[in-house]
Amino acid sequence: MSAVSDRLPVFPWDKLEPYKKTAAAHPDGIVDLSVGTPVDPVPELIQKALIAAADSPGYPTVWGAPELRDAITGWAERRLGARDVTHRHVLPIVGSKELVAWLPTQLGLGPGDTVAFPRLAYPTYEVGARLARAGHLAYDDPTELDPAGLKLLWLNSPSNPTGKVLGKDELTRIVAWARAHGVLVVSDECYLELGWEADPVSILHPDVNGGSYDGLVAVHSLSKRSNLAGYRAAFLVGDPAVLGPLLEIRKHGGMMTSAPTQAAVVAALGDDAHVHEQRERYAARRTRLREALLGHGFRIEHSEAGLYLWATRDESCWDTVAHLAERGILVAPGDFYGPAGDRFVRVALTATDERIAAAAARL
């Protein structure tokens, strides 16, 4: 076991503990804006669907019930503009993080192969490469990478942590380059329904992929849009030549979404009203926090989509973390997401209205 754990970096969130204690000592309590975990209720229609499916004594299938696959294909066509999506184009997963961490291994990557991800990125992309013993590279523009040995190219739009959105033209250019070099593109689009100053586009859109899903997979999650982080509900849509073998591997591994969760996902994907309601909550919190941070002397970059504000005071990110912790506010240091973030902090919108108001008042 140590041989596996030794490949991994120190779990970054452990470094925040001293600052969390400082923030928690504030007389009015901590405002924790460090982790993007939903705090609002699970919509009632989703809870009802889960409860109705509670009597599920048998094993669920890894591929999911036909009703779940229908819900995913319908949503991808309705919401993402994808065309001709069939059951062969979809695969349920047990939350998106397990997929990110284990995809290189499940693809059979290893020494001599390379996984690439954005310069500022979710740390689990690198963890996945390390677990597979593959090489890893961070990029600013993926088309400037050496394609030799490059097997997996991660995109993330809208970005965690920066909120940056890749436009349709940029996505089209990247997809064309990757296809020309035989590189699999996996696009993490978990924040796609949370565009504020931009309208995020999926790689599944025909204007991006030319009507073909060859060499393309999109990752989607219900954690943010439907407050289902606790349900571990996510799915893939894309190239059947990639998803078919993944399905077989995951069958052997027993990586199945529970039957009640599958029923909840069907309900969630069939209803747009609760997504709009949740967006409105986040939009109001974003406006209040953004104004407070700017008034406190911060500069905010990107942040045109997603659940975070990417903010700086032009100092070490850890100095900023300490500064805010003294005011009872906990945020994530930018260097958690790569050395390029060492002068930024990521400020999450995922706190109650009351706690957001408290943070704004302190700032």
Side-chain angles (χ1 to χ4, degrees):
M1 286 301 297
S2 63
V4 177
S5 61
D6 287 349
R7 293 180 218 155
L8 304 179
V10 174
F11 189 63
W13 298 98
D14 293 343
K15 301 178 186 177
L16 263 186
E17 281 304 313
Y19 302 92
K20 187 173 185 177
K21 289 180 180 177
T22 298
H26 190 279
D28 185 38
I30 188 173
V31 180
D32 192 344
L33 307 179
S34 65
V35 183
T37 187
V39 297
D40 299 303
V42 173
E44 187 175 358
L45 85 159
I46 300 175
Q47 292 190 47
K48 286 182 176 179
L50 184 85
I51 293 166
D55 186 14
S56 297
Y59 289 112
T61 66
V62 172
W63 202 15
E67 296 81 5
L68 174 60
R69 285 177 259 145
D70 284 342
I72 295 171
T73 58
W75 177 85
E77 293 189 347
R78 184 180 82 249
R79 179 61 187 85
L80 305 181
R83 296 177 186 165
D84 303 318
V85 182
T86 72
H87 287 196
R88 294 174 59 247
H89 293 91
V90 305
L91 179 62
I93 53 177
V94 192
S96 59
K97 185 169 185 174
E98 65 89 352
L99 184 279
V100 174
W102 294 108
L103 182 61
T105 299
Q106 292 177 4
L107 290 172
L109 305 189
D113 300 322
T114 302
V115 176
F117 43 79
R119 182 79 58 194
L120 285 164
Y122 187 44
T124 312
Y125 302 134
E126 179 181 335
V127 167
R130 288 176 176 269
L131 286 170
R133 299 186 181 181
H136 54 86
L137 287 172
Y139 64 77
D140 293 310
D141 180 349
T143 67
E144 296 177 355
L145 293 168
D146 180 354
L150 179 59
K151 297 296 177 64
L152 172 57
L153 174 63
W154 281 105
L155 303 181
N156 181 208
S157 175
S159 163
N160 172 16
T162 69
K164 181 180 179 181
V165 173
L166 298 176
K168 188 178 292 184
D169 291 345
E170 191 168 6
L171 285 171
T172 302
R173 178 178 64 86
I174 293 169
V175 166
W177 177 88
R179 283 175 165 167
H181 295 287
V183 178
L184 173 64
V185 177
V186 181
S187 181
D188 181 346
E189 302 176 351
C190 291
Y191 296 88
L192 186 135
E193 296 202 82
L194 294 167
W196 311 117
E197 298 165 10
D199 187 13
V201 179
S202 172
I203 59 163
L204 302 174
H205 196 286
D207 289 353
V208 172
N209 60 39
S212 166
Y213 302 117
D214 290 353
L216 305 178
V217 175
V219 184
H220 284 273
S221 167
L222 286 87
S223 293
K224 310 306 195 274
R225 69 182 299 277
S226 299
N227 299 336
L228 296 189
Y231 284 44
R232 309 316 301 135
F235 54 88
L236 307 179
V237 184
D239 189 348
V242 177
L243 299 190
L246 281 179
L247 173 59
E248 295 305 313
I249 291 166
R250 294 170 70 85
K251 283 180 182 178
H252 284 289
M255 304 180 82
M256 34 186 142
T257 305
S258 76
T261 297
Q262 291 187 33
V265 172
V266 171
L269 291 179
D271 178 74
D272 293 331
H274 78 276
V275 180
H276 177 74
E277 182 180 339
Q278 189 59 44
R279 275 181 53 86
E280 292 301 306
R281 290 190 187 112
Y282 284 137
R285 292 166 187 168
R286 179 180 182 273
T287 296
R288 190 157 196 178
L289 265 182
R290 184 183 181 93
E291 290 175 354
L293 288 166
L294 291 173
H296 197 72
F298 280 85
R299 186 177 78 255
I300 295 172
E301 292 192 0
H302 302 302
S303 307
E304 58 256 33
L307 280 182
Y308 312 103
L309 294 170
W310 187 238
T312 180
R313 300 203 317 160
D314 293 308
E315 63 184 5
S316 162
C317 61
W318 288 100
D319 288 344
T320 306
V321 169
H323 172 81
L324 292 175
E326 291 292 342
R327 288 152 182 80
I329 302 168
L330 189 68
V331 298
D335 65 4
F336 278 9
Y337 309 94
D342 65 356
R343 299 181 74 79
F344 284 80
V345 293
R346 192 194 73 169
V347 185
L349 309 179
T350 50
T352 63
D353 292 341
E354 184 273 331
R355 288 288 84 187
I356 294 289
R362 295 174 198 182
L363 290 169

